[in-house]
Amino acid sequence: MQTLLLDSEDVDENALMEDVIWAVEDAFAAYEYGNAQMPAKSYIDLPQYNGDFRSMPAYMDAGEWDAAGLKWVNVHPDNPGEYELPTVMGTMIYSDPETAFPLAIMDGTELTMKRTGAAAAVATDYLAVEDATSLGIVGAGVQSYTQLDAIAAVRPIEEVVVSDLDDGRVQRFIDAYGDDFDVRSGSISEAGHCDVLSTVTPVTDPIVGLEDVGEHTHINAMGADAEGKHELTDDLLKAARIVIDDHKQCTHSGEINVPYNAGVLTDEDIYGEIGQIVVGDKSGRDADTGVSVFDSTGLAIQDVAAAHVVYEQASSADNGSPFDLVGVHDGN
């Protein structure tokens, strides 16, 4: 038996987006049914290096398959300027639940982008209008690309409006997708009046208000990943049908964390968790739904689900670099 080493290009090649979307949907269902174990994310703070490490272990049983793994990720803001390294780097260890054999070690940064896009696609599939053809994106960083890739897999997206303060990033996005979609730069309000809106910014002062979105826009709020961050104004959140991925994480560091902890939002304002919608315990979009918001913080089970797809595809295609990590040789 050999462990498969998969770099970022390998992960990108083998994370087939439609398969990742299905796997992440399975992960939400397993979590809702109680068929997953996901200990709280743990932190190692390193103030002397202006950084931290985070560990995210998980196991999930989707019925036809199960999977286990650990994502080890950092945040070191000084890296780009001082060391020419990324601020965030992740490594995923993917293991066989039955034997604990390390099946793969793979780049966790690319994996995170893929599963985050897939989570938005799952929410979009349940909460956006059926005939959604337009997508707005606020924030033209790396995450914006997988938002479009994934959402276009569940809705017939034709028009894309991207808004960002950095004109260069907007142009790079337009250049990347101009041959496949009607892509243009626009204001936050123009992006927000699309059928679907994904916000992927790290702001702490909300930038999207109720007046910036359409009457039936579905919003994927993907940017908040720490206390104090939020992209949507309180009046927008109060008016929307709010769906979250996990109550503890969202109230601590998701889009709703600031208004929730200030008492502006309560549990009564939260419609439910995405897993409840996936398994059919709650409806998705219905006749009473106006604006909807998916508050996504990112769950370790999503990483494990995406890693499952990458490993299975890479194994079948003979991709990656196998090596004898634990000293177990074929034939022994």
Side-chain angles (χ1 to χ4, degrees), residues 139-141 144-145 162-176 183-188 190:
S144 62
Y145 294 76
V162 58
S163 181
D164 194 293
L165 295 175
D166 187 327
D167 293 336
R169 296 205 301 184
V170 171
Q171 190 57 52
R172 286 191 291 274
F173 186 91
I174 292 173
D175 292 343
V183 190
R184 64 180 177 87
S185 173
S187 66
I188 288 175
E190 288 174 301

Side-chain angles (χ1 to χ4, degrees), residues 10 29 118 145 167 179 196 212 219 281 307 311:
D10 294 324
Y145 294 76
D167 293 336
D179 291 340
V196 182
D212 294 317
I219 304 168
D281 287 346
Y311 174 74

Side-chain angles (χ1 to χ4, degrees), residues 18 21 28 37 118 120 170 307:
E18 288 191 4
I21 293 169
F28 287 139
Q37 297 181 50
V170 171

Side-chain angles (χ1 to χ4, degrees), residues 230-250:
H230 59 141
E231 303 175 288
L232 313 180
T233 60
D234 292 351
D235 61 339
L236 172 52
L237 289 169
K238 289 286 288 185
R241 172 173 288 187
I242 300 172
V243 176
I244 60 179
D245 59 8
D246 177 75
H247 187 277
K248 184 175 181 180
Q249 287 192 188
C250 288

